[in-house]
Amino acid sequence: MKSRMLALCLTGLLGQVGCGGSEGEATGVETPVGEAAQAIRGSRVSFNGDATSDLLWREQSTGNMLVWLMQGPSLAGTATMPALSPSLTVQAASDFGGPTPANDLVYQPATGVGGDNIRFLSDSFTVLGLAPIANLRPNASWYIAASGDFNVDGRTDLVVHNRDTGQYFYRYMNGSTSLGNSAISSRPLPWFIVGAADMNRDGRTDLIWRHRTSGQNEIAVMNNLSVLSTVALPTMPLGFYLGATADYSADAHVDLVWHNPSTGHVVLWWMGSTSVGSSATIGTMGSGCPTWFSQSSPPPSVYGCRYLVGPR
């Protein structure tokens, strides 16, 4: 059975995108129209379907993935997620309208362009199928930076950033089906998008930016592509990278989770809207591993080194 999907065609720098049939038909996984996304379910991002957000770890050298099953800010257990080829990188984890309420993964090739897909998952960590995202990145300088509901239609979208020019745009989605791209905006490098979430609880997804050389962090309070305001966050040493954005304190505010691969420390910033209420180390994952900055490049491919790749 096929569902009717709306598709828009845009031309220009991004080329023609979003035209034709549903990309999800390729594997038999049909994306329900209007399926509730993270943006309207709230700030919880769970991989096992419970009421608390989890953390997803990736070992790039082997493709193995591990989930920290959380109870608030405390580690309650772990689960193995099916591996994904080391030639691919996990770029986003959210609800893309798959067959179950469990969150899905968006991945792209570690090099090159094309081959961007959504992997649909069950809450018991089985792969239910995949669907390609056609014509998402114009060339290899563009990467998938994060996910969120940018046009407030209740469906999860993607923000795509250019690591060489600082340009970015939104791909509006209905599951794996393109509803078109936003206009292109930009911010001078070395500011990079490291997360996206509704930080101030106004129903709109905001962007989290990190400065690659100074360690400064900012929240851009957004109305789609319009920047309503910017809020400075504390500077974080460059040994840390922002790995996850979700509610871990059960207060409906999106929190930020940092990882330092060298020391292994996993640090949670409890957020109160756009300000940091407090911070604490909530666990450790490895140590002695190379630094990583963000989704703008693949995690270092070092055996035994796991990197936090979601939810985001």
Side-chain angles (χ1 to χ4, degrees):
M1 182 177 69
K2 297 180 181 179
S3 57
R4 288 182 289 180
M5 308 267 187
L6 171 66
L8 304 178
C9 299
L10 300 181
T11 58
L13 173 64
L14 302 178
Q16 191 177 53
V17 299
C19 302
S22 166
E23 293 111 347
E25 296 166 9
T27 62
V29 175
E30 185 170 317
T31 308
V33 176
E35 181 74 24
Q38 173 190 348
I40 58 175
R41 281 216 319 258
S43 51
R44 173 181 62 86
V45 189
S46 171
F47 293 103
N48 64 345
D50 68 7
T52 56
S53 300
D54 302 315
L55 295 171
L56 176 63
W57 298 90
R58 164 87 162 161
E59 185 179 356
Q60 189 65 35
S61 62
T62 62
N64 293 334
M65 288 185 286
L66 177 74
V67 180
W68 274 11
L69 303 174
M70 306 294 289
Q71 288 294 325
S74 300
L75 177 62
T78 62
T80 300
M81 188 176 285
L84 189 68
S85 168
S87 66
L88 304 170
T89 59
V90 176
Q91 298 295 118
S94 187
D95 176 14
F96 287 89
T100 73
N103 286 277
D104 310 307
L105 304 183
V106 172
Y107 61 84
Q108 69 180 41
T111 60
V113 69
D116 307 317
N117 284 271
I118 300 175
R119 172 184 271 194
F120 297 108
L121 297 167
S122 76
D123 56 15
S124 58
F125 307 102
T126 58
V127 178
L128 301 177
L130 63 87
I133 310 172
N135 305 312
L136 177 59
R137 295 176 295 127
N139 58 57
S141 292
W142 298 84
Y143 66 94
I144 302 165
S147 63
D149 181 9
F150 297 104
N151 59 347
V152 199
D153 67 351
R155 303 179 181 110
T156 306
D157 310 309
L158 297 170
V159 56
V160 184
H161 191 229
N162 190 306
R163 66 175 64 86
D164 296 321
T165 67
Q167 295 172 297
Y168 65 95
F169 67 89
Y170 302 143
R171 166 63 67 88
Y172 303 123
M173 307 285 291
N174 181 2
S176 61
T177 301
S178 171
L179 303 182
N181 293 329
S182 71
I184 292 177
S185 190
S186 64
R187 183 174 185 179
L189 299 173
W191 284 99
F192 284 79
I193 298 169
V194 294
D198 180 8
M199 300 300 298
N200 63 345
R201 299 175 62 188
D202 66 352
R204 303 177 187 275
T205 299
D206 308 308
L207 296 177
I208 305 166
W209 293 84
R210 182 155 168 78
H211 196 282
R212 190 163 199 153
T213 58
S214 70
Q216 294 173 276
N217 304 289
E218 285 187 359
I219 297 172
V221 179
M222 306 295 291
N223 179 5
N224 205 325
L225 271 180
S226 298
V227 180
L228 303 181
S229 63
T230 58
V231 181
L233 294 172
T235 297
M236 196 67 162
L238 290 173
F240 286 87
Y241 65 91
L242 182 64
T245 58
D247 179 14
Y248 295 93
S249 52
D251 62 358
H253 288 292
V254 174
D255 305 308
L256 306 181
V257 184
W258 301 83
H259 180 224
N260 186 320
S262 177
T263 65
H265 292 145
V266 182
V267 174
L268 174 64
W269 279 5
W270 278 282
M271 301 295 293
S273 186
T274 55
S275 62
V276 181
S278 61
S279 66
T281 298
I282 60 171
T284 59
M285 173 59 82
S287 63
C289 292
T291 59
W292 185 45
F293 178 72
S294 76
Q295 307 289 84
S296 59
S297 62
S301 184
V302 177
Y303 182 77
C305 289
R306 291 192 177 114
Y307 292 83
L308 186 58
V309 295
R312 56 190 306 146

